[in-house]
Amino acid sequence: MVSRGESHFGGPAVELNGLSRSFGGSTVVDGLDLSIGPGELFSLLGPNGAGKTTTIRMLCCLLRPTGGTATVMGRDIITDRLAVKRVIAVSPQETAIAEQLNAWENLSLMAALHGVGKAETRRRSGELLDMLALAERASERVKKYSGGMKRRLSIAMALVSEPEVLFLDEPTIGLDPQSRRGMWEHIEQLKGRTTIVLTTHYLEEADSLADRIGIVDQGRLIALGSPAELKRQVGGAQATVVEADNLTDDAISALRGVYPNIRAIDGGVEIEGDDVRLHDIEDCLRPRGVTVRAAYEKHVTLDDVFIELTGKELRE
Amino acid sequence: MRARQLAIRNFKTILRDPLSLGLTIGLPSVMLFILQPLQDVDEFFTPTNLAPGIVLFGFVMLMFSSAMILSRDRETALFPRLLTAPLTSGDFLSAYSAPYLVIAVVQAGVIFAMAAVLGLEFEGSAMLVVLIMVSMAVLYVGLGIVLGAVLGVAPISGAYSAVLLLTIFAGTWFDLNQIGGPIQAVEDLLPFVHALDAARDVMTNGAGLGDIASDLTWVLAYTVAVVVVAGAAFRRRLVE
């Protein structure tokens, strides 16, 4: 007996083969090749207009590709749409709820449309409503809810069917920090048993949740790897930043004698290497009249990776 | 099963707007009540003649409501979410039309019951009249689905006005033969006048299936065509 969320399908959960989509003469998704394993949490990052949402819309069978194809749990998104829809759920960027229904009814609707039984729906709905702090007003029509409450319910509607593949398009945008944290915890729990494709503007979200990250820009996949791999790819070795007063070229040359991989930055130097010692730096610089104000390890963040690869801030 | 769940949601949405529902069911009955005293001036205004026309008038209102609920849904993010559920175009078509067909039956029942109180005379087969009216209910609700699937909320009012005028000019509460000319020529090509003629012929003259076959063919052909177009409109919406 195969329970929901499990599958005997042995191949990749999501596989894209040259997936493309053009609107008029403009190519929004340009030949994406990608394979996402079962139970993996894969995050798609990219600046606005990079093609993330268009990709998700194609994978959810809402948009027909103009080139290439893709499969979800082995089902083709062009020729086997109904079968794909049986194994997916999506939380769209926009709040997507039935305003005239209450929270219970909204969750029951989505669960029933995905074939979940009544008792199971009640149990899952209760859990989700508790987690998202909606339980107290679950019997009220949702048109009376605040924007944040509606947003939380909209996300819960994607989670209630516990699909094999879950598409979360900017799920935590518009959530307060507490709800966001609760959502992260819930997503963490789903990891391993549900394949999750997540797009997000919160890089720390992708950093802490994703097994792998794909960075797309102008419809193309420009980097792929785990958060650590991506940081290594961009940041190279570990580095220490030294901020100092009266730093002269002579002083930098002297320091280069101790640490060869050194480069001048505004107001100091950056030393590459994982064995940099502060007292060695001070011993070298103090006799030359240089005062060290601060020294700290430089941490490469996904922000750095993103800017390095796309030349853009994520929020552009 | 899945279509039923969506139909229940749509039905709840309709029921939770009691003012619109009350007007949709109540207004045609009020029209019947207001118009029938005119039978003292013109014998056309008997409840027997008026009832089928008033029922069609009510169906136009249902067409408008069904078009609006679908068009409004399409303008929200809920609709794309529904499109990601494993539902076929047939599921969507039945889920959006079934609640209105139930209301159409209630609405027509109320009108005929009121007409009966006011002196409705029935010579022919009630089943034939039911067949004509159910077919017209499917046609109007199907038209609403087509409009809702294709048009935005604003243009639906214009389309509603056009169908309302065509329905009224078909002779809802007057004899189309008195108008004649190009209006009659146009109406003769549409199903509305054929439905009214057939229903009145059955009720007033006791006409049988053979007598109304020609009119019934017009009605059924249009109904099938509208259902096919409505299904196609949903199929087009399933994937862009």
Side-chain angles (χ1 to χ4, degrees):
Chain A
M1 169 109 184
V2 180
S3 65
R4 292 188 65 78
E6 292 174 26
S7 172
H8 288 317
F9 177 67
V14 181
E15 189 162 36
L16 286 66
N17 295 304
L19 192 70
S20 304
R21 174 71 198 204
S22 301
F23 294 96
S26 161
T27 301
V28 177
V29 176
D30 192 1
L32 285 187
D33 290 306
L34 187 61
S35 182
I36 302 172
E40 185 177 2
L41 197 160
F42 186 87
S43 182
L44 213 49
L45 293 181
N48 287 342
K52 307 182 296 290
T53 297
T54 303
T55 302
I56 287 196
R57 281 169 58 78
M58 284 191 282
L59 293 174
C60 295
C61 307
L62 291 174
L63 206 56
R64 197 177 279 116
T66 48
T69 189
T71 57
V72 177
M73 301 307 286
R75 285 91 163 179
D76 193 287
I77 62 162
I78 301 169
T79 59
D80 208 359
R81 292 202 301 265
L82 211 55
V84 170
K85 291 177 181 183
R86 285 198 187 99
V87 297
I88 65 165
V90 59
S91 172
Q93 263 184 47
E94 306 85 2
T95 299
I97 56 174
E99 297 262 346
Q100 292 288 352
L101 305 185
N102 64 35
W104 283 108
E105 290 168 335
N106 267 286
L107 292 172
S108 300
L109 171 67
M110 289 318 294
L113 291 182
H114 285 91
V116 183
K118 278 185 181 172
E120 187 60 15
T121 298
R122 253 193 309 276
R123 183 189 68 73
R124 292 181 195 173
S125 299
E127 282 176 13
L128 287 167
L129 291 168
D130 280 337
M131 179 191 85
L132 294 167
L134 291 168
E136 270 183 33
R137 295 180 61 188
S139 301
E140 270 180 53
R141 274 190 229 175
V142 302
K143 67 177 181 181
K144 295 176 185 166
Y145 284 13
S146 68
M149 291 172 74
K150 288 179 181 178
R151 184 79 202 122
R152 299 203 294 273
L153 175 62
S154 181
I155 298 161
M157 286 166 72
L159 302 175
V160 71
S161 61
E162 295 190 2
E164 291 181 53
V165 181
L166 178 61
F167 294 97
L168 299 172
D169 195 3
E170 303 282 359
T172 55
I173 212 162
L175 288 189
D176 57 80
Q178 194 182 344
S179 301
R180 190 179 307 153
R181 195 164 301 280
M183 185 59 61
W184 289 7
E185 283 168 13
H186 190 81
I187 292 171
E188 278 283 3
Q189 288 169 16
L190 293 176
K191 271 173 77 170
R193 54 195 172 106
T194 301
T195 305
I196 301 172
V197 180
L198 167 83
T199 75
T200 179
H201 263 75
Y202 298 109
L203 290 169
E204 68 273 26
E205 191 165 277
D207 201 356
S208 67
L209 293 175
D211 297 314
R212 281 192 307 153
I213 291 172
I215 297 181
V216 287
D217 194 24
Q218 296 179 334
R220 292 184 180 171
L221 190 68
I222 57 170
L224 179 67
S226 69
E229 285 167 351
L230 289 176
K231 287 175 198 171
R232 269 201 301 277
Q233 188 180 325
V234 169
Q238 197 174 335
T240 301
V241 174
V242 179
E243 293 176 1
D245 293 328
N246 307 320
L247 192 62
T248 60
D249 289 346
D250 280 350
I252 293 174
S253 296
L255 196 54
R256 189 166 282 123
V258 184
Y259 298 112
N261 296 322
I262 186 171
R263 68 185 179 100
I265 58 171
D266 191 25
V269 289
E270 189 178 296
I271 306 167
E272 262 188 27
D274 53 7
D275 191 25
V276 178
R277 284 186 285 269
L278 181 59
H279 66 87
D280 286 345
I281 297 168
E282 288 186 322
D283 287 350
C284 176
L285 296 181
R286 195 175 299 125
R288 292 170 174 83
V290 179
T291 310
V292 174
R293 275 186 285 113
Y296 52 87
E297 263 184 32
K298 183 187 172 190
H299 293 283
V300 177
T301 65
L302 276 183
D303 259 318
D304 301 320
V305 175
F306 198 83
I307 292 167
E308 176 80 19
L309 292 173
T310 67
K312 299 166 191 149
E313 294 272 2
L314 185 55
R315 284 165 189 81
E316 271 177 29
Chain B
M1 179 62 187
R2 289 181 164 106
R4 189 168 149 260
Q5 299 302 324
L6 184 56
I8 290 170
R9 173 262 163 176
N10 291 336
F11 202 49
K12 282 178 180 170
T13 303
I14 298 164
L15 292 180
R16 288 173 187 181
D17 186 2
L19 183 64
S20 299
L21 183 63
L23 276 174
T24 303
I25 293 181
L27 190 63
S29 306
V30 173
M31 290 290 292
L32 178 67
F33 192 74
I34 290 170
L35 289 172
Q36 65 86 29
L38 294 175
Q39 64 186 298
D40 296 337
V41 184
D42 185 339
E43 63 179 18
F44 187 86
F45 291 95
T46 60
T48 309
N49 261 338
L50 280 177
I54 297 291
V55 168
L56 292 203
F57 174 69
F59 286 172
V60 187
M61 296 171 75
L62 286 182
M63 180 202 78
F64 179 68
S65 297
S66 61
M68 289 299 279
I69 191 174
L70 176 55
S71 187
R72 279 203 193 110
D73 270 1
R74 276 184 40 232
E75 290 184 1
T76 68
L78 178 67
F79 197 69
R81 161 166 266 165
L82 294 175
L83 293 180
T84 63
L87 296 167
T88 64
S89 57
D91 290 334
F92 276 102
L93 182 58
S94 55
Y96 274 90
S97 53
Y100 284 100
L101 293 175
V102 171
I103 295 170
V105 169
V106 173
Q107 186 189 52
V110 169
I111 292 166
F112 274 104
M114 186 165 224
V117 171
L118 295 170
L120 177 82
E121 291 168 2
F122 219 111
E123 297 294 332
S125 159
M127 286 313 293
L128 273 182
V129 176
V130 168
L131 173 66
I132 296 162
M133 290 299 145
V134 166
S135 179
M136 288 307 286
V138 172
L139 188 150
Y140 277 103
V141 172
L143 265 180
I145 299 295
V146 173
L147 295 176
V150 172
L151 299 178
V153 168
I156 283 176
S157 300
Y160 163 69
S161 303
V163 178
L164 179 63
L165 282 176
L166 287 170
T167 301
I168 289 174
F169 278 114
T172 47
W173 41 74
F174 52 81
D175 187 356
L176 179 62
N177 292 319
Q178 289 176 349
I179 299 178
I183 291 179
Q184 184 167 19
V186 170
E187 288 289 358
D188 282 343
L189 297 173
L190 298 171
F192 315 112
V193 68
H194 295 288
L196 289 174
D197 283 352
R200 284 171 181 152
D201 208 13
V202 172
M203 291 165 68
T204 309
N205 304 320
L209 184 60
D211 303 312
I212 62 164
S214 168
D215 285 326
L216 197 56
T217 303
W218 278 93
V219 170
L220 293 175
Y222 264 97
T223 302
V224 169
V226 165
V227 170
V228 169
V229 172
F234 260 119
R235 253 192 312 282
R236 221 181 111 240
R237 285 283 158 213
L238 283 181
V239 59
E240 288 175 43

